[in-house]
Amino acid sequence: MKLKYTFYMFVALFTISGYGQVDNKQQKREQIRSLKIAYITTELNLTPEESTKFWPLFNAFEDKQRELRKQKLNNYLDKVNSTNDKLTEKEATTLLNQIESTEDEIYQLRKKFLNSLKGILPATKILKLKKAEEEFSRKLLQQYRDKKDKS
């Protein structure tokens, strides 16, 4: 009962927040984030105690991961796009090494996050989290494909 209430509250919040924002890209990001939170909440069936400890960690992890991707990986892609395929081999190698380093940072961040979760959630719920994240991404991608096919 409580999960259904939480889910409906997120959907209502998602709908209301959609009308108040001007930036369409930001609006879509927030909608997706709200849906992801609702989906994970439903799938994990967290107790109130688990929930109060889990969400701050999860949100901090998501924010840091997004920031790393935004700052570093997008910067690398911008460099590649701005050179119009005129990168020297040395520049390309340097860029690849930087990308590899960033991917390693993201991996270490996820590893640290999972280790932090071990003190909060049972292993079964941590596995459910991984499954829920992947299912959510798959469903989101499928919706995007379906929408694109209809266009």
Side-chain angles (χ1 to χ4, degrees), residues 133-147:
E133 286 179 302
E134 289 186 17
E135 284 177 353
F136 180 82
S137 295
R138 198 171 331 151
K139 287 179 181 187
L140 188 65
L141 184 58
Q142 188 60 47
Q143 276 186 333
Y144 175 75
R145 287 178 182 156
D146 292 346
K147 185 178 177 183

Side-chain angles (χ1 to χ4, degrees), residues 3-87:
L3 282 177
K4 283 184 181 180
Y5 176 76
T6 305
F7 177 74
Y8 290 124
M9 189 169 71
F10 278 116
V11 171
L13 180 65
F14 158 78
T15 304
I16 293 168
S17 70
Y19 291 108
Q21 294 185 3
V22 178
D23 183 17
N24 195 28
K25 208 173 194 181
Q26 180 66 26
Q27 176 185 350
K28 288 184 188 229
R29 257 189 235 115
E30 288 302 317
Q31 289 174 344
I32 291 169
R33 187 175 181 160
S34 295
L35 289 172
K36 184 175 183 178
I37 289 170
Y39 188 80
I40 289 172
T41 298
T42 303
E43 292 298 310
L44 292 186
N45 195 19
L46 298 172
T47 66
E49 183 180 317
E50 290 171 337
S51 188
T52 58
K53 293 177 182 177
F54 170 76
W55 286 112
L57 271 177
F58 181 82
N59 291 331
F61 165 72
E62 288 274 301
D63 291 345
K64 181 66 176 168
Q65 180 176 265
R66 188 182 313 85
E67 189 61 32
L68 278 171
R69 289 187 192 285
K70 183 179 175 184
Q71 269 184 342
K72 296 185 176 185
L73 294 179
N74 288 343
N75 186 31
Y76 306 143
L77 293 176
D78 289 344
K79 286 180 185 177
V80 170
N81 290 335
S82 69
T83 59
N84 295 325
D85 297 328
K86 296 179 183 175
L87 280 175

Side-chain angles (χ1 to χ4, degrees), residues 85-101:
D85 297 328
K86 296 179 183 175
L87 280 175
T88 66
E89 190 62 27
K90 184 178 180 179
E91 291 170 328
T93 301
T94 301
L95 219 52
L96 281 173
N97 289 337
Q98 290 172 347
I99 290 170
E100 188 177 90
S101 174

